[in-house]
Amino acid sequence: MHKLKNYALGSMLCGALLVSLNTFAQPAVKTEPDPPKTWHQMDLKTDGFYGVSLTQAYQFLKGKKSKTVVVTTIDSGIDTTQNDLKSVLWTNPVKTDPYVGDAHGWDFLGGKDGKVDYTETTEEVRQYYKLKDKYAGTTTAPAGQEKEFAYWQSVKATYDTTYNKAQAEIKDLTMEVNVLSATNYYIKKELKLRSDQTFNKADLEKITTTNDTLVQSKTVWQSVFTQIGDSTDNAKVLKDLTEYYAKQNNTVNPDLDARAKIVGDDPDVNDGKPYGNNILKTPDCSHGTGVAGLIGAVRGNGYGIDGIADNVLIMSIKAVPNGDEYDKDIANAIRFAVDHGAKVVNMSFGKKLSPHKDWVGAAFKYAAAHDVLLVMASGNDGQDMDAKPEFPNDTYLDGTTTDNVISVGASGPKLGENLAADFSNYGKKSVDIFSPGVKVTSIDMDAEFNTADGTSFSSPIVTGIAALILEYYPNLTASQVKHAILASATPLTGTMVVKPGDKTQKVDFASLSKTGGIVNAYKALKIASEMKGERKE
């Protein structure tokens, strides 16, 4: 999946800090200070940051009445006790529902006795082990098995790439974890901190000793904080890095029994029978909590952050583990959302293979038939989705599409060569629009906050705008809302940016998506206000 922390800490530390950790080099000098925590809501002309002009949007809506909109997050779960969310959580009103009533959504990774399968490997690893005994070492397709053999070849190629990358990262991460753990000990000892206390970049300035070990330890952590951001602390760095390390280990030495042991179903059989439980707050629900916060965290309460939309109910569906989601869960999650009244569904996840794409495609069509908008993160691999698609996507097996899906890339805070996030996927045919996704701050589980990079944060910003449109213009169809959002983006033709996934090549920002621009809440609402609603209910 497109895990925010995995990108922000795992990949970053595994690459950018390797030299620093090996040589204790001086930390890199930041070219730009961290943007304001609310930059994603700001206006380029007024504030100098390329946000979505949310203040202008609410000025436009002043005096207008809104209607509550149900928004679903298909994600890693949610902290149902978060002060910025608990008053806006959807509650299942159907007491006889096979999916237990009084729940704020559903957990398709749940099992008996409150257990949850929240650690999985990648889809290519699952498929590789499923087929390897049958085809490993085979060079030609057995008679009558040509289609499955061709699929095996695709699986094997993808698996080899993923496995080799994981092995290389594990080698680097082993050294990094060891160095950070050791230097963490020396820093805390010098600062006289208890085992449960943390330090941040500002605390490092209190260390003035010339002791070589401490000077080197200080330099390492200065480099870490410089690369990741000033708002983090040592505990968060170590936690996220060790989680990423465990995830990479699960790629090369996967636990393939968790699903069967915990959920108890067969992910290759989609027979319509209910499964899962109603446990939404799990150890890995940070991602889903942040996504929900960007969409609809209570506005104006003096706590946390202000969500994009001001009158929504958040339905949380847990279908995304710390690893790749199952097609069965995504298909059923979309249908659950549609059947329980959602108008917009946010999907901040994705993977490289989709063995049951037909199930997911049928769910997409089901959502389209019921006028439900699906908003997806494009992914964090810095690659051209036109050439290398990720899943799910809006192109069905027969080559057709529907008009109820928006794919979102990630943009940075400043107009200039770094406007396109270096990690963001892109595609003139496959990605619809860009949205803020660099150093975006949202709420986290357990009353915490998280500033991170990822299209996982870009997508819920667009989802929030879609919900805001439907609050005030409830007669618009999913297609109309989509086109109001896309039309809000001004094509930035002539704005040359560093190509995502590349360090030097410059491309025209307008070439990276269908619209060639960045979403704007104010413009989207203005366009929506001029549309004649066509929703049939």
Side-chain angles (χ1 to χ4, degrees), residues 337-420:
V338 173
D339 290 342
H340 290 81
K343 297 302 180 187
V344 189
V345 177
N346 186 82
M347 304 192 299
S348 291
F349 52 81
K351 56 185 180 178
K352 294 178 174 62
L353 293 174
S354 181
H356 298 295
K357 181 172 170 56
D358 55 332
W359 296 350
V360 180
F364 271 44
K365 292 179 180 179
Y366 187 71
H370 290 79
D371 231 347
V372 176
L373 182 65
L374 307 177
V375 184
M376 304 189 308
S378 66
N380 300 331
D381 295 313
Q383 68 185 27
D384 184 351
M385 296 265 285
D386 295 347
K388 296 180 68 175
E390 290 198 358
F391 304 94
N393 55 54
D394 65 351
T395 301
Y396 306 123
L397 291 175
D398 62 4
T400 62
T401 62
T402 54
D403 201 31
N404 67 316
V405 182
I406 301 177
S407 176
V408 187
S411 55
K414 287 286 191 176
L415 183 63
E417 66 175 15
N418 295 317
L419 183 62

Coordinates of all heavy atoms in Angstrom, one line a residue, residues 337-420:
A337 N -19.5 0.3 1.5 CA -19.7 1.8 1.6 C -20.9 2.2 0.8 O -21.7 3.1 1.2 CB -18.4 2.4 1.0
V338 N -21.0 1.7 -0.4 CA -22.2 2.1 -1.3 C -23.5 1.7 -0.6 O -24.4 2.5 -0.5 CB -22.1 1.4 -2.7 CG1 -23.3 1.6 -3.5 CG2 -20.8 1.9 -3.4
D339 N -23.6 0.5 -0.1 CA -24.8 0.0 0.5 C -25.2 0.7 1.8 O -26.4 0.6 2.2 CB -24.7 -1.5 0.8 CG -24.7 -2.4 -0.5 OD1 -25.1 -1.9 -1.6 OD2 -24.2 -3.5 -0.4
H340 N -24.2 1.3 2.4 CA -24.5 2.0 3.7 C -24.5 3.5 3.6 O -24.4 4.2 4.6 CB -23.5 1.5 4.7 CG -23.7 0.1 5.2 ND1 -23.2 -1.0 4.5 CD2 -24.4 -0.4 6.3 CE1 -23.6 -2.1 5.1 NE2 -24.3 -1.8 6.2
G341 N -24.6 4.0 2.3 CA -24.9 5.4 2.2 C -23.8 6.4 1.9 O -24.0 7.6 1.9
A342 N -22.6 5.9 1.6 CA -21.5 6.8 1.3 C -21.7 7.4 0.0 O -22.2 6.8 -1.0 CB -20.2 6.0 1.3
K343 N -21.3 8.7 -0.1 CA -21.3 9.4 -1.4 C -19.9 9.6 -2.0 O -19.8 9.8 -3.2 CB -21.9 10.8 -1.2 CG -23.4 10.7 -0.8 CD -24.3 9.9 -1.7 CE -25.7 9.9 -1.2 NZ -26.5 9.0 -2.1
V344 N -18.9 9.5 -1.2 CA -17.5 9.6 -1.6 C -16.7 8.6 -0.9 O -16.9 8.4 0.4 CB -16.9 11.0 -1.4 CG1 -15.6 11.2 -2.0 CG2 -17.9 12.1 -1.8
V345 N -15.8 7.9 -1.6 CA -14.9 6.9 -1.0 C -13.5 7.3 -1.2 O -13.1 7.5 -2.4 CB -15.2 5.5 -1.5 CG1 -14.3 4.5 -0.9 CG2 -16.7 5.1 -1.3
N346 N -12.7 7.4 -0.2 CA -11.2 7.6 -0.3 C -10.5 6.3 -0.3 O -10.7 5.5 0.6 CB -10.7 8.6 0.8 CG -9.3 9.0 0.5 OD1 -9.0 9.9 -0.3 ND2 -8.3 8.3 1.1
M347 N -9.5 6.2 -1.2 CA -8.7 4.9 -1.3 C -7.2 5.3 -1.4 O -6.7 5.5 -2.5 CB -9.2 4.1 -2.5 CG -10.7 3.8 -2.4 SD -11.3 2.5 -3.5 CE -10.9 3.3 -5.1
S348 N -6.6 5.4 -0.3 CA -5.1 5.7 -0.3 C -4.3 4.4 -0.2 O -3.7 4.2 0.9 CB -4.8 6.7 0.9 OG -5.4 7.9 0.7
F349 N -4.3 3.6 -1.2 CA -3.6 2.4 -1.2 C -3.3 2.0 -2.7 O -3.9 2.6 -3.6 CB -4.3 1.3 -0.5 CG -5.8 1.1 -0.9 CD1 -6.1 0.3 -2.1 CD2 -6.8 1.7 -0.2 CE1 -7.4 0.2 -2.5 CE2 -8.1 1.5 -0.7 CZ -8.4 0.7 -1.8
G350 N -2.6 0.9 -2.9 CA -2.3 0.5 -4.2 C -1.2 -0.6 -4.2 O -0.5 -0.7 -3.3
K351 N -1.2 -1.4 -5.3 CA -0.2 -2.4 -5.4 C 0.1 -2.7 -6.9 O -0.5 -2.1 -7.8 CB -0.7 -3.7 -4.7 CG -2.1 -4.2 -5.2 CD -2.6 -5.3 -4.4 CE -3.9 -5.8 -5.0 NZ -4.4 -7.0 -4.2
K352 N 1.1 -3.6 -7.1 CA 1.6 -3.8 -8.5 C 0.9 -5.0 -9.2 O 1.0 -5.0 -10.4 CB 3.1 -4.1 -8.4 CG 3.9 -3.0 -7.9 CD 5.4 -3.3 -7.8 CE 6.2 -2.1 -7.4 NZ 5.9 -1.5 -6.1
L353 N 0.2 -5.8 -8.5 CA -0.6 -6.9 -9.1 C -2.0 -7.0 -8.6 O -2.2 -6.6 -7.4 CB 0.1 -8.2 -8.9 CG 1.5 -8.5 -9.5 CD1 2.1 -9.8 -9.1 CD2 1.4 -8.5 -11.1
S354 N -2.9 -7.4 -9.4 CA -4.3 -7.6 -9.0 C -4.9 -8.9 -9.5 O -5.5 -8.9 -10.6 CB -5.1 -6.4 -9.5 OG -6.5 -6.4 -9.1
P355 N -4.7 -10.0 -8.7 CA -5.2 -11.3 -9.2 C -6.7 -11.4 -9.4 O -7.1 -12.2 -10.2 CB -4.7 -12.2 -8.2 CG -4.5 -11.4 -6.9 CD -4.1 -10.1 -7.4
H356 N -7.4 -10.6 -8.7 CA -8.9 -10.6 -8.9 C -9.4 -9.2 -9.3 O -10.3 -8.7 -8.7 CB -9.6 -11.1 -7.6 CG -9.2 -12.5 -7.2 ND1 -9.5 -13.6 -8.0 CD2 -8.5 -12.9 -6.2 CE1 -9.1 -14.7 -7.4 NE2 -8.4 -14.3 -6.3
K357 N -8.8 -8.7 -10.3 CA -9.2 -7.4 -10.8 C -10.6 -7.3 -11.2 O -11.3 -6.2 -11.1 CB -8.2 -7.0 -12.0 CG -8.5 -5.6 -12.5 CD -7.5 -5.1 -13.6 CE -7.9 -3.9 -14.3 NZ -8.2 -2.7 -13.4
D358 N -11.2 -8.4 -11.7 CA -12.6 -8.4 -12.1 C -13.5 -8.2 -10.9 O -14.5 -7.5 -11.1 CB -12.9 -9.8 -12.7 CG -12.6 -11.0 -11.9 OD1 -11.7 -10.9 -11.0 OD2 -13.2 -12.0 -12.1
W359 N -13.1 -8.6 -9.7 CA -14.0 -8.4 -8.5 C -14.0 -6.9 -8.2 O -15.0 -6.3 -7.9 CB -13.5 -9.1 -7.3 CG -13.6 -10.6 -7.4 CD1 -14.2 -11.3 -8.4 CD2 -13.0 -11.6 -6.5 NE1 -14.0 -12.7 -8.2 CE2 -13.3 -12.9 -7.0 CE3 -12.2 -11.5 -5.4 CZ2 -12.9 -14.0 -6.4 CZ3 -11.8 -12.6 -4.8 CH2 -12.1 -13.9 -5.3
V360 N -12.8 -6.3 -8.2 CA -12.6 -4.9 -7.9 C -13.3 -4.0 -9.0 O -14.0 -3.1 -8.7 CB -11.1 -4.5 -7.8 CG1 -11.0 -3.0 -7.4 CG2 -10.5 -5.3 -6.7
G361 N -13.1 -4.4 -10.3 CA -13.8 -3.7 -11.3 C -15.3 -3.7 -11.2 O -16.0 -2.7 -11.4
A362 N -15.8 -4.9 -10.8 CA -17.3 -5.0 -10.6 C -17.8 -4.0 -9.5 O -18.8 -3.4 -9.6 CB -17.7 -6.4 -10.4
A363 N -16.9 -3.9 -8.5 CA -17.3 -3.0 -7.4 C -17.2 -1.6 -7.8 O -18.0 -0.7 -7.4 CB -16.3 -3.3 -6.2
F364 N -16.2 -1.2 -8.6 CA -16.1 0.1 -9.2 C -17.4 0.4 -10.0 O -18.0 1.5 -9.9 CB -14.9 0.2 -10.1 CG -13.7 0.7 -9.4 CD1 -13.3 0.1 -8.2 CD2 -12.8 1.6 -10.0 CE1 -12.1 0.5 -7.6 CE2 -11.6 2.0 -9.4 CZ -11.3 1.4 -8.2
K365 N -17.9 -0.5 -10.8 CA -19.1 -0.3 -11.6 C -20.3 -0.2 -10.7 O -21.2 0.6 -11.0 CB -19.2 -1.5 -12.6 CG -18.2 -1.5 -13.7 CD -18.4 -2.7 -14.7 CE -17.3 -2.7 -15.7 NZ -17.4 -3.8 -16.7
Y366 N -20.3 -1.0 -9.6 CA -21.4 -0.9 -8.7 C -21.5 0.5 -8.0 O -22.6 1.1 -7.9 CB -21.2 -1.9 -7.6 CG -22.3 -2.1 -6.6 CD1 -23.5 -2.7 -7.0 CD2 -22.2 -1.7 -5.3 CE1 -24.6 -2.9 -6.1 CE2 -23.2 -1.9 -4.3 CZ -24.4 -2.5 -4.8 OH -25.4 -2.6 -3.9
A367 N -20.3 1.1 -7.7 CA -20.3 2.4 -7.2 C -20.8 3.4 -8.2 O -21.5 4.3 -7.9 CB -18.9 2.8 -6.7
A368 N -20.3 3.2 -9.4 CA -20.8 4.2 -10.5 C -22.3 4.1 -10.7 O -22.9 5.1 -10.9 CB -20.1 3.8 -11.8
A369 N -22.8 2.9 -10.6 CA -24.3 2.7 -10.8 C -25.1 3.4 -9.7 O -26.3 3.8 -9.9 CB -24.6 1.2 -10.9
H370 N -24.5 3.6 -8.5 CA -25.1 4.2 -7.4 C -24.6 5.6 -7.2 O -24.8 6.2 -6.1 CB -25.0 3.3 -6.2 CG -25.7 2.0 -6.2 ND1 -25.3 0.9 -6.9 CD2 -26.9 1.7 -5.6 CE1 -26.1 -0.1 -6.7 NE2 -27.1 0.4 -6.0
D371 N -23.9 6.2 -8.2 CA -23.5 7.6 -8.1 C -22.6 7.9 -6.9 O -22.7 8.9 -6.2 CB -24.7 8.5 -8.0 CG -24.6 9.6 -9.1 OD1 -23.6 9.8 -9.7 OD2 -25.6 10.3 -9.3
V372 N -21.6 7.0 -6.7 CA -20.6 7.2 -5.6 C -19.3 7.5 -6.3 O -18.8 6.7 -7.2 CB -20.5 5.9 -4.7 CG1 -19.4 6.1 -3.7 CG2 -21.9 5.6 -4.1
L373 N -18.6 8.5 -5.8 CA -17.3 9.0 -6.3 C -16.2 8.2 -5.6 O -16.2 8.2 -4.3 CB -17.2 10.5 -6.1 CG -15.9 11.1 -6.7 CD1 -15.8 11.0 -8.2 CD2 -15.8 12.6 -6.2
L374 N -15.3 7.7 -6.3 CA -14.1 7.0 -5.8 C -12.9 7.9 -6.0 O -12.6 8.3 -7.2 CB -13.9 5.7 -6.4 CG -15.1 4.7 -6.4 CD1 -14.7 3.4 -7.2 CD2 -15.5 4.4 -5.0
V375 N -12.1 8.2 -5.0 CA -10.9 9.1 -5.1 C -9.7 8.2 -4.6 O -9.7 7.7 -3.5 CB -11.0 10.3 -4.2 CG1 -9.8 11.2 -4.4 CG2 -12.3 11.1 -4.5
M376 N -8.7 8.2 -5.5 CA -7.6 7.2 -5.3 C -6.3 8.0 -5.2 O -6.0 8.9 -6.0 CB -7.5 6.2 -6.4 CG -8.8 5.4 -6.6 SD -8.4 4.0 -7.7 CE -7.7 4.9 -9.1
A377 N -5.4 7.5 -4.4 CA -4.0 8.0 -4.4 C -3.3 7.3 -5.6 O -3.5 6.1 -5.8 CB -3.3 7.6 -3.1
S378 N -2.5 8.1 -6.3 CA -1.8 7.5 -7.5 C -0.7 6.6 -7.2 O -0.3 5.7 -7.9 CB -1.4 8.6 -8.5 OG -0.3 9.3 -7.9
G379 N 0.0 6.8 -6.0 CA 1.1 6.0 -5.6 C 2.4 6.7 -5.4 O 2.5 7.9 -6.0
N380 N 3.3 6.1 -4.7 CA 4.6 6.8 -4.3 C 5.8 6.2 -4.9 O 6.9 6.3 -4.3 CB 4.7 6.8 -2.8 CG 3.5 7.4 -2.1 OD1 2.9 8.4 -2.6 ND2 3.2 7.0 -0.9
D381 N 5.7 5.7 -6.1 CA 6.9 5.0 -6.7 C 7.6 5.9 -7.7 O 8.6 5.5 -8.4 CB 6.5 3.7 -7.4 CG 6.0 2.7 -6.4 OD1 6.6 2.5 -5.4 OD2 4.9 2.1 -6.7
G382 N 7.2 7.2 -7.9 CA 7.9 8.1 -8.8 C 7.9 7.5 -10.3 O 8.9 7.7 -11.0
Q383 N 6.8 6.9 -10.7 CA 6.8 6.3 -12.0 C 5.6 6.7 -12.9 O 4.6 7.2 -12.3 CB 6.8 4.7 -11.9 CG 5.6 4.1 -11.3 CD 5.7 2.6 -11.1 OE1 6.8 2.1 -10.9 NE2 4.6 1.9 -11.1
D384 N 5.8 6.4 -14.2 CA 4.7 6.8 -15.1 C 3.7 5.7 -15.1 O 3.9 4.6 -15.6 CB 5.4 6.9 -16.5 CG 4.4 7.4 -17.6 OD1 3.2 7.5 -17.3 OD2 4.8 7.6 -18.7
M385 N 2.5 6.1 -14.6 CA 1.4 5.1 -14.5 C 0.8 4.7 -15.9 O 0.2 3.7 -16.1 CB 0.2 5.7 -13.7 CG 0.6 5.9 -12.3 SD 0.2 4.6 -11.2 CE -1.6 4.8 -11.1
D386 N 1.1 5.5 -16.9 CA 0.7 5.2 -18.3 C 1.5 4.0 -18.8 O 0.9 3.1 -19.5 CB 0.9 6.3 -19.3 CG 0.0 7.5 -18.9 OD1 -1.0 7.4 -18.1 OD2 0.3 8.6 -19.5
A387 N 2.7 3.9 -18.4 CA 3.6 2.8 -18.8 C 3.5 1.6 -17.8 O 3.6 0.4 -18.2 CB 5.0 3.3 -18.9
K388 N 3.4 1.9 -16.5 CA 3.4 0.9 -15.5 C 2.2 1.1 -14.5 O 2.4 1.7 -13.5 CB 4.7 0.9 -14.7 CG 5.9 0.5 -15.5 CD 7.2 0.5 -14.7 CE 7.2 -0.6 -13.7 NZ 8.5 -0.7 -12.9
P389 N 1.1 0.7 -14.9 CA -0.1 0.9 -14.0 C 0.0 0.2 -12.7 O 0.6 -0.8 -12.6 CB -1.3 0.3 -14.9 CG -0.7 -0.7 -15.8 CD 0.7 -0.1 -16.1
E390 N -0.6 0.8 -11.7 CA -0.8 0.2 -10.4 C -2.3 -0.1 -10.2 O -3.1 0.4 -11.0 CB -0.3 1.1 -9.3 CG 1.3 1.2 -9.3 CD 1.8 1.6 -8.0 OE1 1.1 1.9 -7.0 OE2 3.1 1.7 -7.9
F391 N -2.6 -0.9 -9.2 CA -4.0 -1.3 -9.0 C -4.4 -1.0 -7.6 O -3.6 -1.0 -6.6 CB -4.0 -2.9 -9.2 CG -3.5 -3.3 -10.5 CD1 -2.2 -3.7 -10.7 CD2 -4.4 -3.3 -11.6 CE1 -1.7 -4.1 -11.9 CE2 -3.9 -3.7 -12.9 CZ -2.6 -4.1 -13.0
P392 N -5.7 -0.6 -7.4 CA -6.8 -0.6 -8.5 C -6.7 0.6 -9.4 O -6.0 1.6 -9.1 CB -8.1 -0.6 -7.7 CG -7.7 0.2 -6.4 CD -6.3 -0.2 -6.1
N393 N -7.3 0.5 -10.5 CA -7.4 1.6 -11.4 C -8.8 1.6 -12.1 O -9.5 0.6 -12.0 CB -6.2 1.7 -12.4 CG -6.1 0.4 -13.2 OD1 -7.1 -0.1 -13.8 ND2 -4.9 -0.2 -13.2
D394 N -9.0 2.6 -12.9 CA -10.4 2.8 -13.5 C -10.5 2.1 -14.9 O -11.5 2.4 -15.6 CB -10.8 4.2 -13.5 CG -9.9 5.1 -14.5 OD1 -8.9 4.5 -15.0 OD2 -10.3 6.2 -14.7
T395 N -9.5 1.4 -15.3 CA -9.6 0.7 -16.6 C -9.9 -0.8 -16.3 O -9.2 -1.5 -15.7 CB -8.3 0.8 -17.4 OG1 -8.0 2.2 -17.6 CG2 -8.4 0.1 -18.7
Y396 N -11.1 -1.2 -16.9 CA -11.5 -2.6 -16.6 C -10.9 -3.6 -17.6 O -10.2 -3.2 -18.5 CB -13.1 -2.6 -16.7 CG -13.7 -1.6 -15.8 CD1 -14.6 -0.7 -16.3 CD2 -13.5 -1.6 -14.5 CE1 -15.2 0.3 -15.5 CE2 -14.0 -0.7 -13.6 CZ -14.9 0.3 -14.2 OH -15.5 1.2 -13.3
L397 N -11.1 -4.8 -17.3 CA -10.4 -5.9 -18.1 C -10.8 -5.8 -19.6 O -10.1 -6.2 -20.5 CB -10.8 -7.3 -17.6 CG -10.2 -7.6 -16.2 CD1 -10.7 -8.9 -15.7 CD2 -8.7 -7.6 -16.3
D398 N -12.0 -5.3 -19.9 CA -12.4 -5.1 -21.3 C -12.0 -3.8 -21.9 O -12.3 -3.5 -23.1 CB -14.0 -5.3 -21.4 CG -14.7 -4.2 -20.7 OD1 -14.1 -3.3 -20.1 OD2 -16.0 -4.3 -20.6
G399 N -11.2 -3.0 -21.2 CA -10.7 -1.7 -21.7 C -11.6 -0.5 -21.5 O -11.2 0.6 -21.8
T400 N -12.8 -0.7 -20.9 CA -13.7 0.4 -20.7 C -13.4 1.0 -19.4 O -12.6 0.5 -18.5 CB -15.2 -0.1 -20.7 OG1 -15.4 -1.0 -19.6 CG2 -15.5 -0.7 -22.0
T401 N -14.0 2.2 -19.2 CA -13.8 2.9 -17.9 C -15.2 3.5 -17.5 O -16.1 3.5 -18.2 CB -12.8 4.1 -18.0 OG1 -13.4 5.0 -19.0 CG2 -11.5 3.6 -18.5
T402 N -15.2 4.0 -16.2 CA -16.4 4.8 -15.8 C -15.9 6.2 -15.4 O -14.7 6.4 -15.3 CB -17.0 4.1 -14.6 OG1 -16.1 3.9 -13.5 CG2 -17.6 2.8 -14.9
D403 N -16.9 7.0 -15.2 CA -16.6 8.4 -14.9 C -16.8 8.8 -13.5 O -17.2 10.0 -13.2 CB -17.4 9.3 -15.8 CG -16.8 10.7 -16.0 OD1 -15.6 10.8 -16.0 OD2 -17.6 11.7 -16.2
N404 N -16.5 7.9 -12.6 CA -16.7 8.2 -11.1 C -15.4 8.0 -10.3 O -15.5 7.8 -9.1 CB -17.8 7.3 -10.6 CG -17.4 5.8 -10.5 OD1 -16.8 5.3 -11.5 ND2 -17.7 5.1 -9.4
V405 N -14.3 8.1 -11.0 CA -13.0 7.8 -10.3 C -12.0 9.0 -10.6 O -11.9 9.5 -11.7 CB -12.3 6.5 -10.9 CG1 -11.0 6.3 -10.1 CG2 -13.3 5.3 -10.7
I406 N -11.3 9.4 -9.5 CA -10.3 10.4 -9.6 C -9.0 9.9 -9.1 O -8.9 9.4 -7.9 CB -10.7 11.7 -8.8 CG1 -12.0 12.3 -9.3 CG2 -9.6 12.8 -8.9 CD1 -12.4 13.5 -8.5
S407 N -7.9 9.9 -9.9 CA -6.6 9.5 -9.4 C -5.8 10.8 -9.2 O -5.7 11.7 -10.0 CB -5.9 8.7 -10.5 OG -4.6 8.3 -10.1
V408 N -5.1 10.8 -8.0 CA -4.5 12.0 -7.5 C -3.0 11.9 -7.3 O -2.5 10.9 -6.6 CB -5.1 12.4 -6.1 CG1 -4.6 13.8 -5.7 CG2 -6.6 12.5 -6.2
G409 N -2.2 12.8 -7.9 CA -0.8 12.8 -7.6 C -0.4 13.8 -6.5 O -1.3 14.6 -6.1
A410 N 0.8 13.9 -6.1 CA 1.2 14.8 -5.0 C 2.0 15.9 -5.4 O 3.0 15.8 -6.2 CB 2.0 14.0 -3.9
S411 N 1.7 17.1 -4.9 CA 2.4 18.4 -5.2 C 3.1 18.9 -4.0 O 2.6 18.6 -2.8 CB 1.5 19.4 -5.9 OG 0.4 19.6 -5.0
G412 N 4.1 19.8 -4.2 CA 4.7 20.4 -3.1 C 4.2 21.8 -2.8 O 3.3 22.3 -3.5
P413 N 4.7 22.5 -1.8 CA 4.2 23.7 -1.3 C 4.5 25.0 -2.1 O 3.8 26.0 -2.0 CB 4.7 23.9 0.1 CG 6.0 23.1 0.1 CD 5.8 22.0 -0.9
K414 N 5.5 24.9 -3.0 CA 6.0 26.1 -3.6 C 5.9 26.0 -5.2 O 6.3 24.9 -5.7 CB 7.4 26.5 -3.2 CG 7.5 27.1 -1.8 CD 7.0 28.5 -1.7 CE 7.3 29.2 -0.4 NZ 6.9 30.6 -0.4
L415 N 5.5 27.0 -5.8 CA 5.6 27.1 -7.3 C 7.1 27.1 -7.7 O 7.8 28.0 -7.3 CB 4.8 28.3 -7.8 CG 4.7 28.4 -9.3 CD1 4.0 27.2 -9.9 CD2 4.1 29.7 -9.7
G416 N 7.5 26.2 -8.5 CA 8.9 26.1 -8.8 C 9.3 24.7 -9.3 O 8.4 23.9 -9.5
E417 N 10.6 24.4 -9.4 CA 11.0 23.1 -10.0 C 10.7 21.9 -9.1 O 10.7 20.8 -9.6 CB 12.5 23.2 -10.2 CG 13.4 23.3 -9.0 CD 14.8 23.1 -9.3 OE1 15.2 23.3 -10.5 OE2 15.6 22.9 -8.4
N418 N 10.4 22.1 -7.8 CA 10.0 21.0 -6.9 C 8.5 20.9 -6.7 O 8.0 20.3 -5.7 CB 10.7 21.2 -5.6 CG 12.2 21.0 -5.7 OD1 12.7 20.2 -6.5 ND2 13.0 21.9 -5.1
L419 N 7.7 21.6 -7.6 CA 6.3 21.5 -7.4 C 5.7 20.1 -7.4 O 4.8 19.8 -6.7 CB 5.6 22.4 -8.5 CG 4.1 22.6 -8.3 CD1 3.7 23.2 -7.0 CD2 3.5 23.4 -9.5
A420 N 6.2 19.3 -8.3 CA 5.8 17.9 -8.4 C 6.6 17.1 -7.3 O 7.9 17.1 -7.4 CB 6.0 17.3 -9.8

